[in-house]
Amino acid sequence: MSPQPQAAVGAPLSRVDGRLKVTGQAPYAAEHDVEGVVHAVIVDSGVGRGRITSIDTRDAEAQRDVLRVISHRNAPKLPYRDNPGSNNPPGRRLRVFQDDRVLFHGQPVAVVVATTLEAAQHGASLVKVAYDTERPSTDLHEAERDKPTTYARGDADAGLRSSAVRLDLTYQLARNHQNPMEPHATIARWDGDKLTVWDKTQWVVGTRDELVTVFDLPEESVRIISPFVGGAFGSGLRCWPHTVVAALAARETGRPVKLVLSRKQQYFGTGFRPSYEYRLRLGSDRRGRLTAMAHEMDAETSSYETFTETVMPAGQMLYSMPNVSQEYRTVPLDVNTPLWMRGPGFATASFVIESAMDELAHKLGIDPLELRRRNEPNEDESNGRPFSTRRLRECYTVGAREFGWHRRSSRPRSRREGDWLIGLGVAVGVYETQRNQAQARVRLDADGTALVETAASDMGPGTYTSQTQVAADALGLTMRTVTLRLGDSLYPPTPPHGGSQTMASVGSAVLDGCDKVRRQAIELAVEDRESPLYGADADDVVVRGGRLHVKGNPGRGETYRSLLTRNDRTHVEAGGSYAGASKPERHSFYAYNATFAEVAVDAKLGLVRVRRMLGVYDAGRIISPKLAESQAIGGIVGGIGTALLEHTVTDHRDGRIVNANLADYLVPVNADVPDVRAIYLDGEDRKADPLGVKGLGEVVHVGVAPAIANAVFNATGRRVRELPITAEALM
Ligand code: MOS
């Protein structure tokens, strides 16, 4: 078929759902209007480890409007079948109200259901729980490590011994919480043995499968609805216990139940980016050619599940070197299980590697960009595969020019404006290009409008808009005449809306479905004696603005509407699918960036102010430039948080998170966010997927924190190897 003209893809369009969102008409999980809904409030464990010895629910149950209090004493035994293929990490998932064990501070120990929210909240405050308390283990530095996952090529120890220059650096990275604006929430309703759940989730398919296995239901009996998600950053990538609690409470009371986690409950009711201790030893020759890196990574997980993330690949493929060793050890603690948070794994590794590269550059007296150029690999040295596309050199060149890198003095503490020390820093970001099986359903109606349905979520990046752009061009329709429907497990299945894989995976399925529909319409036309296109070569026909015509001869054609109406066709439809990455892969697929930061540090007070940031991205084809820019700004803002503010603090005496609120857990506000600029290199990656995209939501966050840390060093001469970088560390 003739390639379609691209009118919507690549155009800086505004969100198709923008109006709904700003007028409050895009319903989030708790906002769906479900008749007869009652309210549930979870009672959290007040100890960090132990056994429940008694639960006194009498006062709560005596309250008017309280319908039921459920705990392990009266909850039915739930099947909790295995759920292979889920995002549940290996281990034994938390089984709500199934026994008296307390595994972490804040674990759900009971739920109060009442006809009003206030009564449920008050009832929850009246439940008295007594514990046999043990001292929890929540300190990464004191607990025992699991056996490591390892990687080696060459001989890192020998390589380090023979290196002319060596660094041995240990980094501490704080635990971070995703803290989306919309709290996690669930409404559950049973109609006989059919369960409908409105949920905040990045994966309706995964939440369905979890409820199917927990309650041992047929797949057809469970439907998950999640049309809009108010941010998630990874926190919605698995089904958390509160969703099970809501479904259980609804079944036990025979009423639809709404359960909204409080802001505090987000901190132990959903996941988090685990804290790390990360030791990196690296060696190079005098000219800065890397000889070896040895990575030792310790990361927290829970006592009952082993959460791991892709923290290893960056150390294997980012730079050329003969010798690499890696040990990645999880450390089981009495905490809720961590989960992915934006740029998972790569953001952590990038902070360490890119900070260390900056130290090496300084030690050798080589410009940090030049040092990276000297270590640019020709292939992915972890597997010998060629890179599909890798344009880091261009990122360096464009970034240096646009940011004014030549103005950076290589001597730290050499630029001052009044009390403020000014510094510039750079770091590289990298994130794997994931692609997985996805499906979509496309229907073109005789009135010339189209409907596309796919189970994917839109947690905020603008999936409604970008998928509409793909569909509109493939169908030859305008944006206004295409409607996208997302976030329902009844729609064709998709992988998790995470890992920056939605455009590559779901987008390719949408493209496939739309291509099929367009082809059907074209074939109908060229075989229809009454069509002006009769007898034309189907391969020569394109569609624009809902009108089919011969390429180069716009006069010869007709609209979908006239074609379908004349042929008594109410619609044309097709299923679209995408098979995912080829296995094994023949290339190495990553998106990249060079991120630049300028900071000002108050010489006396240690305050850090980010003044300018620039990200230059090699992310393949950009479907939606305006939304891509928004993603970059969001990723950079998140990185400012990681670098300077975000830190979930646990009291190791009782395992309690002490700053489980948005007043004490600091995130960037407008005043923290400077002039931010994003440049996407023009191009595409045809080897990656039919759309040529490489994913961008994660990579824009990776490399931000080390760019800021390196700028802080350039400003002050102080090397802080701990996140977040606080004023205390700089005093
Ligand atoms: Mo992203 S951390 O996979 O939502």
Side-chain angles (χ1 to χ4, degrees), residues 23 31 68 89 118 121 324 430 447 465 476 501 586 632 637:
T23 54
E31 296 177 327
R68 190 76 57 94
E118 292 75 11
Q121 285 169 332
V324 179
V430 58
D447 66 358
T465 308
Q501 65 180 313
R586 286 192 296 274
V637 171

Side-chain angles (χ1 to χ4, degrees), residues 319-552:
Y319 298 114
S320 175
M321 75 196 82
N323 307 296
V324 179
S325 72
Q326 291 179 311
E327 288 191 2
Y328 173 23
R329 295 175 294 223
T330 44
V331 184
L333 299 174
D334 295 317
V335 300
N336 178 28
T337 306
L339 192 64
W340 301 290
M341 180 167 158
R342 205 165 189 179
F346 287 89
T348 298
S350 161
F351 174 69
V352 170
I353 295 167
E354 292 301 292
S355 295
M357 287 296 277
D358 201 67
E359 290 210 37
L360 180 65
H362 180 70
K363 188 162 178 162
L364 293 168
I366 299 175
D367 179 88
L369 288 174
E370 174 57 23
L371 177 69
R372 288 171 173 85
R373 284 193 191 99
R374 288 184 191 175
N375 290 287
E376 180 69 11
N378 293 320
E379 59 176 26
D380 184 333
E381 294 181 0
S382 74
N383 52 29
R385 291 184 199 133
F387 295 110
S388 62
T389 49
R390 172 165 163 137
R391 301 168 67 192
L392 265 174
R393 283 195 180 91
E394 282 171 80
C395 293
Y396 301 152
T397 307
V398 171
R401 185 184 67 223
E402 296 299 315
F403 201 65
W405 185 247
H406 64 278
R407 280 160 47 203
R408 172 182 178 271
S409 162
S410 59
R411 198 163 47 84
R413 223 182 162 85
S414 57
R415 190 169 149 205
R416 194 173 182 125
E417 294 176 12
D419 285 342
W420 295 91
L421 301 165
I422 313 301
L424 268 59
V426 70
V428 169
V430 58
Y431 195 82
E432 61 191 334
T433 297
Q434 296 179 35
R435 296 94 75 219
N436 283 296
Q437 255 185 43
Q439 295 179 29
R441 186 159 57 219
V442 180
R443 194 184 78 205
L444 171 69
D445 283 314
D447 66 358
T449 66
L451 178 67
V452 179
E453 292 171 330
T454 178
S457 304
D458 182 354
M459 72 170 135
T463 306
Y464 279 103
T465 308
S466 53
Q467 301 291 345
T468 304
Q469 289 174 274
V470 170
D473 283 353
L475 291 167
L477 292 174
T478 58
M479 289 290 286
R480 280 174 188 285
T481 50
V482 179
T483 302
L484 241 291
R485 288 200 187 135
L486 298 173
D488 190 325
S489 62
L490 295 183
Y491 297 156
T494 56
H497 177 52
S500 291
Q501 65 180 313
T502 298
M503 184 45 74
S505 311
V506 179
S508 295
V510 167
L511 178 68
D512 180 58
C514 294
D515 280 346
K516 284 177 180 158
V517 164
R518 185 178 84 254
R519 185 181 325 219
Q520 285 181 44
I522 290 172
E523 279 165 6
L524 184 64
V526 298
E527 287 166 18
D528 175 2
R529 289 178 182 280
E530 291 172 49
S531 172
L533 291 163
Y534 176 67
D537 184 342
D539 283 343
D540 286 343
V541 178
V542 294
V543 189
R544 186 147 206 179
R547 188 170 172 282
L548 306 85
H549 67 83
V550 173
K551 200 173 178 188

Side-chain angles (χ1 to χ4, degrees), residues 179-195:
N179 268 309
M181 289 289 279
E182 181 205 7
H184 280 263
T186 305
I187 300 172
R189 185 182 73 198
W190 293 82
D191 302 286
D193 55 5
K194 294 228 184 295
L195 173 62

